[in-house]
Amino acid sequence: MATLGVTTQKHKITVVGSGNWGSAIAKIVAENALANPDIFEKTIQMWVFEEDVTVSKDSKHYDSQSPLCQGPQKLTKLINTFHENVKYLPSVALPTNLVANPSLEDAVKDSTVLIFNLPHQFIGKICETLKGKIVPFARGVSCIKGVDVSDKGIQLFSESIGLKLGIYCGALSGANIANEVAQEKFSETTVAYDPPRMDSQNPTPQGSPKLSPVDMITPSANPGLKQQIRLHALPNEYPPLSHENMKKLFHRPYFHVRMVSDVAGVSLGGALKNVVALAAGWVDGLGWGDNAKAAVMRVGILEEVKFGQTFFEGKVAAATFTEESCGIADMITSCSGGRNFRCAKMSVKEGLPIGEVEERELNGQKLQGTSTAYDVNAFLKMQNMEAEFPLFTAVYNILEGKNKPDDIPELIDSSVK
């Protein structure tokens, strides 16, 4: 048995997902594994949904004589050979200690920290595959934007992952356009991680973390959602996953991290701002200028705070939305140059459905704003509260063709009852 305070094991890290944001986060984590060899294992696994990819003739790796450039190749082979995700994050060098793995089960084997970074529509299937395949004391961090809505209610993806896998899961979100982060342009993010008390080498579990969206130990107060799970303590042989050590996992000179405990607030900020960004893109596409975008963002922040405090009462701090990167800063970035903003703007200027623009522009990836808008509206309908969130409802109705972007000022006018 290890002596209290003495660690003999290192944390193995797996990034589940390899799109442009998944690859950018994996790059950061791999760099930090090398910088903190006393805490983390050197090799970082990145699970890749395997697909066939042809190396572009514009790529610096293109060589007409190379077998890898003669027709479609496995994406994992290209990543591990070129140390670059040539499809989703081209022209960005990845650390050599980052290994692309097409086997989800093999990628997560013995990993104590799982970083989830993939489109939210796939998380349910991923978690089903992972059940029974991870160490019971693993901890998670969700970088996933969106909310999980069912006929039983609404869950954050940090919460959904935790419940499905029986682990504690934090969240990462901020003003983070993936390509800019990957190119090491300065930015900051917010990591919400409220370490379970049992992980502080306390022999007796005393309930869930203070601001966790899931009550891990005590019986759920909501009979509609089975929210209680029993965590397994992180063994003393491992370094504690404290705020200090979690910051070491993500903080870089070009990517500054602020640690907070409000997992629900950080998760909601990352999800709901994508809905607001669609509205900002539409008004910008109409040529209404910065004043219109600012008005949309102001209403969006208010609705984010109201949504969190209404449906996650006692678990969300308003300051998370107004003071942290995951709140106001992410709103500004997403409503200025994010993919939801850009595609919405193009759809108005070109007179095309946003789905057509998405298919043309995103190289197989998906907009999170559209799916989140539908999920949020489905939940608000169940609560009979659509009128309480006029901007979120307006975005849904525009996507459905019930309204036009030109109607946004009238739809969000607080003086109209």
Side-chain angles (χ1 to χ4, degrees), residues 123-124 127-128 131 148 155 159-167:
I123 195 62
C127 287
E128 285 300 316
K131 282 184 178 178
D148 188 8
Q155 290 180 328
E159 180 179 15
S160 180
I161 291 166
L163 289 168
K164 287 180 170 68
L165 298 181
I167 64 174

Side-chain angles (χ1 to χ4, degrees), residues 14-23 25 46-49 104 108 114-130 141-147 157 161 165 169 172 274 339 365-368 371-372:
T14 297
V15 178
V16 181
S18 58
N20 63 340
W21 186 220
S23 297
I25 285 293
M46 178 174 72
W47 174 69
V48 175
F49 179 78
L104 180 60
V108 302
L114 306 173
I115 301 169
F116 295 88
N117 202 329
L118 66 166
H120 74 254
Q121 55 265 39
F122 302 122
I123 195 62
K125 182 178 179 180
I126 291 296
C127 287
E128 285 300 316
T129 302
L130 289 178
V141 176
S142 170
C143 304
I144 300 168
K145 318 292 187 183
V147 288
F157 279 102
I161 291 166
L165 298 181
C169 187
L172 180 152
N274 286 325
R339 66 176 67 173
Q365 299 191 89
K366 298 294 183 183
L367 290 175
Q368 299 302 301
S371 55
T372 302

Side-chain angles (χ1 to χ4, degrees), residues 5 15 28-29 112 121 204 219 228 257 266 282 318 321 329 336 365 414:
V15 178
I28 287 168
V29 170
T112 51
Q121 55 265 39
T204 305
Q228 68 276 18
V257 170
V266 171
W282 286 326
F321 298 98
S336 303
Q365 299 191 89
S414 59

Side-chain angles (χ1 to χ4, degrees), residues 170-333:
L172 180 152
S173 187
N176 307 139
I177 293 176
N179 289 336
E180 293 182 10
V181 174
Q183 293 164 16
E184 302 188 5
K185 296 178 179 179
F186 171 66
S187 63
E188 59 181 7
T189 199
T190 312
V191 175
Y193 193 86
D194 200 10
R197 292 184 180 93
M198 62 178 63
D199 285 359
S200 62
Q201 299 177 330
N202 187 332
T204 305
Q206 296 181 14
S208 62
K210 297 180 292 300
L211 290 174
S212 170
V214 186
D215 190 343
M216 301 292 185
I217 304 296
T218 57
S220 171
N222 184 348
L225 287 171
K226 296 182 179 179
Q227 292 193 331
Q228 68 276 18
I229 60 174
R230 187 166 294 278
L231 290 176
H232 294 264
L234 181 70
N236 293 342
E237 289 82 4
Y238 289 90
L241 290 174
S242 58
H243 273 196
E244 180 184 6
N245 284 341
M246 291 302 287
K247 186 170 184 175
K248 288 179 180 179
L249 183 59
F250 293 107
H251 188 92
R252 297 295 297 159
Y254 59 88
F255 189 66
H256 287 192
V257 170
R258 276 176 57 90
M259 297 295 305
V260 300
S261 297
D262 184 6
V263 178
V266 171
S267 299
L268 283 173
L272 298 177
K273 55 91 179 184
N274 286 325
V275 180
V276 182
L278 294 176
W282 286 326
V283 300
D284 200 57
L286 289 168
W288 290 356
D290 292 336
N291 292 339
K293 282 195 298 180
V296 166
M297 286 188 277
R298 184 194 68 82
V299 175
I301 286 287
L302 290 177
E303 291 197 12
E304 283 187 351
V305 173
K306 183 176 181 178
F307 193 94
Q309 295 188 333
T310 301
F311 302 118
F312 296 86
E313 185 178 359
K315 298 171 183 174
V316 169
T320 302
F321 298 98
T322 58
E323 298 179 11
E324 301 297 339
S325 180
C326 63
I328 185 65
D330 197 10
M331 181 71 77
I332 293 169
T333 295

